[in-house]
Amino acid sequence: MKIAIIGITGNAGSRIAAEALRRGHSVTGIARSADQSKVPAGVTLLQGDATQPAQLAELLRGQDVVVSAAKFSTLKAATLLQGVKGGGVKRLLVVGGAASLETAPGVTLLDSPDFPEQYKVEAVPGAQFLQDLRAETEIEWTFMSPPAMFAPGERTGKFRVGQNQLMADEQGKSHISMEDYAIAMLDEIEQPKHLRQRFTVAY
């Protein structure tokens, strides 16, 4: 498949690109800075501003799938959807956030009184982004939330898949490596099981 990744120079974007290349897909990266040293070898890097829908649409033409690993504080759902539709792409996968996952029925992680204030800059627009996506009926979108702890680590290929609830292991730790998250993202790209849904993965 031809996969375009927005935010490819970031930690998550670069690992999703590496996993896609490992599986033989064609990867195009879209970044504000066309610094080839920041992306895996084999990526076609295009310089562009994803917050400009017309510009984004031109960069996305001919792609099969778009993956957005951009910050929610920078890129809004409406802007991204406009660019994806303009580029004629039907599928969009989003590197989501954990804050909108439920810790109890109807209660999200973001709702908890001890949710760190400094994380709200990204968490609040992330929750809004998901809400906006849920109103979208034309694009086949998927919002993939990581667990609470999401960092570079080991590629094991072993994890659990959930829906809207925050998952934790037997020790109460909610975590996954970015490498394993990338595996789950590519699994969903290749064999879609969560079209117009949010899902999550964790150990």
Side-chain angles (χ1 to χ4, degrees):
M1 283 188 226
K2 293 180 180 177
I3 302 172
I5 302 176
I6 300 166
I8 195 163
T9 57
N11 278 331
S14 61
R15 282 163 176 81
I16 292 165
E19 183 64 30
L21 290 167
R22 179 194 284 258
R23 299 187 189 204
H25 298 292
S26 168
V27 179
T28 297
I30 296 169
R32 291 191 184 206
S33 170
D35 184 349
Q36 198 74 41
S37 67
K38 290 186 176 181
V39 300
V43 168
T44 300
L45 189 60
L46 301 179
Q47 189 169 358
D49 186 352
T51 65
Q52 303 298 317
Q55 190 181 134
L56 180 60
E58 286 301 317
L59 296 170
L60 294 179
R61 290 195 195 287
Q63 300 294 323
D64 298 312
V65 180
V66 178
V67 175
S68 176
K71 289 185 176 180
F72 297 119
S73 54
T74 304
L75 185 59
K76 306 299 179 224
T79 305
L80 177 58
L81 287 167
Q82 191 179 339
V84 172
K85 289 176 185 177
V89 187
K90 295 300 181 189
R91 285 194 68 201
L92 168 67
L93 291 95
V94 177
V95 176
S100 58
L101 290 167
E102 292 184 344
T103 54
V107 181
T108 68
L109 187 60
L110 183 57
D111 294 329
S112 60
D114 54 352
F115 189 86
E117 194 66 34
Q118 67 268 30
Y119 294 155
K120 288 185 179 179
V121 175
E122 193 63 14
V124 171
Q128 183 62 51
F129 196 107
L130 175 58
Q131 196 171 321
D132 292 344
L133 276 184
R134 283 175 166 156
E136 172 59 38
T137 57
E138 187 181 335
I139 298 293
E140 292 184 337
W141 61 268
T142 300
F143 188 95
M144 186 175 155
S145 288
M149 295 176 68
F150 183 42
E154 195 179 344
R155 183 183 186 275
T156 70
K158 297 175 183 177
F159 49 82
R160 294 176 297 143
V161 178
Q163 201 75 33
N164 290 303
Q165 287 72 42
L166 183 74
M167 294 194 299
D169 62 17
E170 292 175 353
Q171 286 74 45
K173 188 177 178 184
S174 177
H175 66 125
I176 198 169
S177 71
M178 288 181 171
E179 288 75 5
D180 280 339
Y181 177 94
I183 290 176
M185 176 71 80
L186 265 295
D187 287 350
E188 179 66 25
I189 288 173
E190 293 175 345
Q191 296 184 318
K193 294 179 181 175
H194 302 91
L195 294 179
R196 298 196 182 99
Q197 295 176 47
R198 182 261 290 283
F199 78 105
T200 184
V201 288
Y203 294 132

